[in-house]
Amino acid sequence: MDQVNCLIVDDEPIARDIIKTYCSHLDYLNVVASCGNALEAKAVLQKQKIDILFLDINMPIMDGISFVKTMKDQPQIIFTTAYKEFAVDAFDLAACDYLLKPFSFDRFIIAVDKALEKLEPKATMQAIEVSGSDNEDFIFIKTDGKIYKIGYDELLYAEAQGNYTKIITTSNFLLPKMPFSNFEELLPKQLFLRTHRSFIINKSKIGHIEGNRIFINNNEIPIGSNYKDQLLKDLGFS
């Protein structure tokens, strides 16, 4: 396996040392630097390509959540924190994993494996089988050792679920291990609309819209404030 460049960011020296020790047990992990705050880390990221970022959340100067929001090209982010209440925010930022201190070496390995899967293009393609023709009206999704053909007309909506995407169809639901953004890229934009940072819907399946909710087959889909104007424009209410 090629070397994977890692950056450790935590304001506690002991926490940095633990992660550095864990990394040393995996010979394919190369710790480029170990920083005590986000500004030091930003300087490293500007000079060096980082594949995996081990990032604390509760830090002085700038917390880890805010730091991620400033990044243009995100590495695979594994949050490390003593505070479980930040988990939802972390996964909303498409974090690869969330390690709650103190975490064991085996839990650390699980997080690293998740990051490696996302870094390896072949691994991504194993999760998604995509038809090659623009004229086709279906996609193939691989999950649980099976490949499912999903017609656009069957697909009701999809929801981000951490490292997975929950796909709801007229007769089934699937939970493939794939980033939500990757799934969105598979779908034609003229048929499927983003309504929320965690939801994408089939425009033709909308029953009605009431307030900040879309109703599809008795399912309520939220409309995020950042998406409402564009959604109404796409529906012809500019």
Side-chain angles (χ1 to χ4, degrees), residues 207-231:
H208 70 278
I209 299 174
E210 182 179 340
N212 291 322
R213 296 172 298 166
I214 293 175
F215 291 82
I216 297 178
N217 286 22
N218 296 319
N219 297 294
E220 291 187 27
I221 314 298
I223 302 174
S225 57
N226 294 334
Y227 296 88
K228 190 167 187 177
D229 289 345
Q230 184 60 47
L231 173 66

mmCIF file of all heavy atoms in Angstrom, residues 207-231:
data_model
loop_
_atom_site.group_PDB
_atom_site.id
_atom_site.type_symbol
_atom_site.label_atom_id
_atom_site.label_comp_id
_atom_site.label_asym_id
_atom_site.label_seq_id
_atom_site.Cartn_x
_atom_site.Cartn_y
_atom_site.Cartn_z
ATOM 1 N N GLY A 207 -45.923 15.194 -3.860
ATOM 2 C CA GLY A 207 -47.370 15.224 -3.691
ATOM 3 C C GLY A 207 -47.823 16.666 -3.509
ATOM 4 O O GLY A 207 -48.604 17.205 -4.285
ATOM 5 N N HIS A 208 -47.300 17.290 -2.456
ATOM 6 C CA HIS A 208 -47.539 18.718 -2.253
ATOM 7 C C HIS A 208 -46.455 19.288 -1.339
ATOM 8 O O HIS A 208 -45.695 18.549 -0.709
ATOM 9 C CB HIS A 208 -48.938 18.971 -1.672
ATOM 10 C CG HIS A 208 -49.104 18.528 -0.254
ATOM 11 N ND1 HIS A 208 -49.364 17.212 0.094
ATOM 12 C CD2 HIS A 208 -49.061 19.218 0.932
ATOM 13 C CE1 HIS A 208 -49.493 17.109 1.396
ATOM 14 N NE2 HIS A 208 -49.306 18.314 1.939
ATOM 15 N N ILE A 209 -46.397 20.604 -1.315
ATOM 16 C CA ILE A 209 -45.439 21.319 -0.470
ATOM 17 C C ILE A 209 -46.218 22.187 0.500
ATOM 18 O O ILE A 209 -47.148 22.891 0.108
ATOM 19 C CB ILE A 209 -44.492 22.198 -1.320
ATOM 20 C CG1 ILE A 209 -43.681 21.324 -2.286
ATOM 21 C CG2 ILE A 209 -43.560 23.018 -0.429
ATOM 22 C CD1 ILE A 209 -42.821 22.105 -3.261
ATOM 23 N N GLU A 210 -45.843 22.086 1.759
ATOM 24 C CA GLU A 210 -46.514 22.872 2.792
ATOM 25 C C GLU A 210 -45.471 23.441 3.735
ATOM 26 O O GLU A 210 -44.764 22.695 4.416
ATOM 27 C CB GLU A 210 -47.500 21.984 3.553
ATOM 28 C CG GLU A 210 -48.295 22.716 4.622
ATOM 29 C CD GLU A 210 -49.271 21.793 5.328
ATOM 30 O OE1 GLU A 210 -49.604 20.727 4.771
ATOM 31 O OE2 GLU A 210 -49.675 22.134 6.451
ATOM 32 N N GLY A 211 -45.351 24.762 3.753
ATOM 33 C CA GLY A 211 -44.330 25.395 4.584
ATOM 34 C C GLY A 211 -42.944 24.963 4.147
ATOM 35 O O GLY A 211 -42.590 25.069 2.967
ATOM 36 N N ASN A 212 -42.184 24.438 5.085
ATOM 37 C CA ASN A 212 -40.833 23.970 4.782
ATOM 38 C C ASN A 212 -40.771 22.450 4.710
ATOM 39 O O ASN A 212 -39.767 21.835 5.085
ATOM 40 C CB ASN A 212 -39.844 24.485 5.841
ATOM 41 C CG ASN A 212 -39.646 25.978 5.742
ATOM 42 O OD1 ASN A 212 -39.602 26.533 4.646
ATOM 43 N ND2 ASN A 212 -39.524 26.642 6.880
ATOM 44 N N ARG A 213 -41.840 21.843 4.200
ATOM 45 C CA ARG A 213 -41.893 20.387 4.082
ATOM 46 C C ARG A 213 -42.439 19.984 2.719
ATOM 47 O O ARG A 213 -43.360 20.607 2.191
ATOM 48 C CB ARG A 213 -42.773 19.783 5.178
ATOM 49 C CG ARG A 213 -42.252 19.982 6.599
ATOM 50 C CD ARG A 213 -43.277 19.528 7.615
ATOM 51 N NE ARG A 213 -44.502 20.324 7.514
ATOM 52 C CZ ARG A 213 -45.664 19.985 8.085
ATOM 53 N NH1 ARG A 213 -45.752 18.863 8.778
ATOM 54 N NH2 ARG A 213 -46.724 20.755 7.955
ATOM 55 N N ILE A 214 -41.859 18.934 2.175
ATOM 56 C CA ILE A 214 -42.353 18.330 0.942
ATOM 57 C C ILE A 214 -42.932 16.969 1.299
ATOM 58 O O ILE A 214 -42.327 16.214 2.070
ATOM 59 C CB ILE A 214 -41.216 18.158 -0.082
ATOM 60 C CG1 ILE A 214 -40.711 19.530 -0.550
ATOM 61 C CG2 ILE A 214 -41.664 17.341 -1.283
ATOM 62 C CD1 ILE A 214 -39.503 19.454 -1.462
ATOM 63 N N PHE A 215 -44.080 16.658 0.752
ATOM 64 C CA PHE A 215 -44.731 15.383 1.044
ATOM 65 C C PHE A 215 -44.648 14.476 -0.181
ATOM 66 O O PHE A 215 -45.100 14.838 -1.274
ATOM 67 C CB PHE A 215 -46.194 15.613 1.443
ATOM 68 C CG PHE A 215 -46.337 16.296 2.772
ATOM 69 C CD1 PHE A 215 -46.223 17.681 2.881
ATOM 70 C CD2 PHE A 215 -46.558 15.559 3.932
ATOM 71 C CE1 PHE A 215 -46.346 18.314 4.114
ATOM 72 C CE2 PHE A 215 -46.686 16.190 5.167
ATOM 73 C CZ PHE A 215 -46.571 17.565 5.259
ATOM 74 N N ILE A 216 -44.024 13.311 0.009
ATOM 75 C CA ILE A 216 -43.882 12.310 -1.049
ATOM 76 C C ILE A 216 -44.333 10.964 -0.486
ATOM 77 O O ILE A 216 -43.698 10.429 0.428
ATOM 78 C CB ILE A 216 -42.419 12.208 -1.529
ATOM 79 C CG1 ILE A 216 -41.957 13.537 -2.139
ATOM 80 C CG2 ILE A 216 -42.251 11.075 -2.527
ATOM 81 C CD1 ILE A 216 -40.500 13.520 -2.592
ATOM 82 N N ASN A 217 -45.458 10.441 -1.008
ATOM 83 C CA ASN A 217 -45.957 9.130 -0.543
ATOM 84 C C ASN A 217 -46.003 9.025 0.981
ATOM 85 O O ASN A 217 -45.489 8.075 1.577
ATOM 86 C CB ASN A 217 -45.091 8.004 -1.091
ATOM 87 C CG ASN A 217 -45.342 7.749 -2.566
ATOM 88 O OD1 ASN A 217 -45.833 8.625 -3.265
ATOM 89 N ND2 ASN A 217 -44.998 6.569 -3.038
ATOM 90 N N ASN A 218 -46.574 10.011 1.625
ATOM 91 C CA ASN A 218 -46.721 10.062 3.090
ATOM 92 C C ASN A 218 -45.407 10.264 3.839
ATOM 93 O O ASN A 218 -45.362 10.157 5.061
ATOM 94 C CB ASN A 218 -47.401 8.787 3.623
ATOM 95 C CG ASN A 218 -48.824 8.644 3.116
ATOM 96 O OD1 ASN A 218 -49.568 9.621 3.050
ATOM 97 N ND2 ASN A 218 -49.206 7.430 2.740
ATOM 98 N N ASN A 219 -44.327 10.545 3.114
ATOM 99 C CA ASN A 219 -43.049 10.872 3.739
ATOM 100 C C ASN A 219 -42.869 12.385 3.750
ATOM 101 O O ASN A 219 -43.136 13.044 2.738
ATOM 102 C CB ASN A 219 -41.882 10.230 2.972
ATOM 103 C CG ASN A 219 -41.941 8.723 2.994
ATOM 104 O OD1 ASN A 219 -41.810 8.099 4.031
ATOM 105 N ND2 ASN A 219 -42.150 8.121 1.821
ATOM 106 N N GLU A 220 -42.423 12.920 4.881
ATOM 107 C CA GLU A 220 -42.164 14.359 4.983
ATOM 108 C C GLU A 220 -40.669 14.611 4.777
ATOM 109 O O GLU A 220 -39.838 14.065 5.506
ATOM 110 C CB GLU A 220 -42.586 14.894 6.347
ATOM 111 C CG GLU A 220 -44.089 14.888 6.573
ATOM 112 C CD GLU A 220 -44.462 15.594 7.872
ATOM 113 O OE1 GLU A 220 -43.701 16.487 8.307
ATOM 114 O OE2 GLU A 220 -45.507 15.244 8.449
ATOM 115 N N ILE A 221 -40.332 15.447 3.799
ATOM 116 C CA ILE A 221 -38.950 15.787 3.497
ATOM 117 C C ILE A 221 -38.732 17.247 3.859
ATOM 118 O O ILE A 221 -39.485 18.122 3.397
ATOM 119 C CB ILE A 221 -38.629 15.584 2.001
ATOM 120 C CG1 ILE A 221 -39.165 14.246 1.502
ATOM 121 C CG2 ILE A 221 -37.136 15.744 1.753
ATOM 122 C CD1 ILE A 221 -38.594 13.039 2.170
ATOM 123 N N PRO A 222 -37.747 17.568 4.685
ATOM 124 C CA PRO A 222 -37.532 18.972 5.062
ATOM 125 C C PRO A 222 -36.943 19.796 3.907
ATOM 126 O O PRO A 222 -36.235 19.267 3.046
ATOM 127 C CB PRO A 222 -36.531 18.876 6.218
ATOM 128 C CG PRO A 222 -35.788 17.606 5.960
ATOM 129 C CD PRO A 222 -36.782 16.662 5.343
ATOM 130 N N ILE A 223 -37.255 21.072 3.917
ATOM 131 C CA ILE A 223 -36.661 22.017 2.976
ATOM 132 C C ILE A 223 -35.726 22.918 3.770
ATOM 133 O O ILE A 223 -36.165 23.644 4.662
ATOM 134 C CB ILE A 223 -37.723 22.873 2.265
ATOM 135 C CG1 ILE A 223 -38.714 21.983 1.509
ATOM 136 C CG2 ILE A 223 -37.057 23.858 1.300
ATOM 137 C CD1 ILE A 223 -39.877 22.744 0.899
ATOM 138 N N GLY A 224 -34.441 22.845 3.484
ATOM 139 C CA GLY A 224 -33.472 23.683 4.175
ATOM 140 C C GLY A 224 -33.569 25.132 3.722
ATOM 141 O O GLY A 224 -33.867 25.404 2.551
ATOM 142 N N SER A 225 -33.326 26.064 4.633
ATOM 143 C CA SER A 225 -33.449 27.487 4.299
ATOM 144 C C SER A 225 -32.521 27.899 3.162
ATOM 145 O O SER A 225 -32.846 28.784 2.371
ATOM 146 C CB SER A 225 -33.162 28.337 5.545
ATOM 147 O OG SER A 225 -31.882 28.039 6.078
ATOM 148 N N ASN A 226 -31.361 27.234 3.057
ATOM 149 C CA ASN A 226 -30.406 27.575 1.998
ATOM 150 C C ASN A 226 -30.804 27.013 0.638
ATOM 151 O O ASN A 226 -30.179 27.340 -0.374
ATOM 152 C CB ASN A 226 -29.004 27.071 2.358
ATOM 153 C CG ASN A 226 -28.425 27.788 3.558
ATOM 154 O OD1 ASN A 226 -28.781 28.931 3.841
ATOM 155 N ND2 ASN A 226 -27.527 27.125 4.265
ATOM 156 N N TYR A 227 -31.812 26.143 0.618
ATOM 157 C CA TYR A 227 -32.198 25.474 -0.627
ATOM 158 C C TYR A 227 -33.573 25.903 -1.133
ATOM 159 O O TYR A 227 -33.934 25.605 -2.274
ATOM 160 C CB TYR A 227 -32.198 23.950 -0.421
ATOM 161 C CG TYR A 227 -30.836 23.389 -0.103
ATOM 162 C CD1 TYR A 227 -30.377 23.322 1.211
ATOM 163 C CD2 TYR A 227 -29.990 22.930 -1.107
ATOM 164 C CE1 TYR A 227 -29.116 22.825 1.505
ATOM 165 C CE2 TYR A 227 -28.742 22.425 -0.827
ATOM 166 C CZ TYR A 227 -28.310 22.376 0.487
ATOM 167 O OH TYR A 227 -27.065 21.887 0.781
ATOM 168 N N LYS A 228 -34.336 26.610 -0.308
ATOM 169 C CA LYS A 228 -35.734 26.884 -0.642
ATOM 170 C C LYS A 228 -35.884 27.727 -1.900
ATOM 171 O O LYS A 228 -36.705 27.427 -2.781
ATOM 172 C CB LYS A 228 -36.436 27.550 0.537
ATOM 173 C CG LYS A 228 -37.945 27.639 0.333
ATOM 174 C CD LYS A 228 -38.669 27.996 1.617
ATOM 175 C CE LYS A 228 -40.182 27.901 1.427
ATOM 176 N NZ LYS A 228 -40.908 28.165 2.684
ATOM 177 N N ASP A 229 -35.118 28.812 -2.013
ATOM 178 C CA ASP A 229 -35.248 29.702 -3.171
ATOM 179 C C ASP A 229 -34.957 28.968 -4.476
ATOM 180 O O ASP A 229 -35.697 29.099 -5.451
ATOM 181 C CB ASP A 229 -34.326 30.912 -3.023
ATOM 182 C CG ASP A 229 -34.799 31.879 -1.946
ATOM 183 O OD1 ASP A 229 -35.969 31.768 -1.530
ATOM 184 O OD2 ASP A 229 -34.005 32.741 -1.529
ATOM 185 N N GLN A 230 -33.883 28.197 -4.501
ATOM 186 C CA GLN A 230 -33.520 27.462 -5.709
ATOM 187 C C GLN A 230 -34.559 26.384 -6.017
ATOM 188 O O GLN A 230 -34.882 26.149 -7.189
ATOM 189 C CB GLN A 230 -32.131 26.832 -5.552
ATOM 190 C CG GLN A 230 -31.614 26.129 -6.807
ATOM 191 C CD GLN A 230 -31.492 27.073 -7.990
ATOM 192 O OE1 GLN A 230 -30.961 28.170 -7.880
ATOM 193 N NE2 GLN A 230 -31.995 26.641 -9.143
ATOM 194 N N LEU A 231 -35.079 25.754 -4.973
ATOM 195 C CA LEU A 231 -36.099 24.721 -5.171
ATOM 196 C C LEU A 231 -37.335 25.316 -5.843
ATOM 197 O O LEU A 231 -37.845 24.769 -6.832
ATOM 198 C CB LEU A 231 -36.478 24.095 -3.827
ATOM 199 C CG LEU A 231 -37.652 23.110 -3.853
ATOM 200 C CD1 LEU A 231 -37.304 21.866 -4.654
ATOM 201 C CD2 LEU A 231 -38.062 22.735 -2.428
#
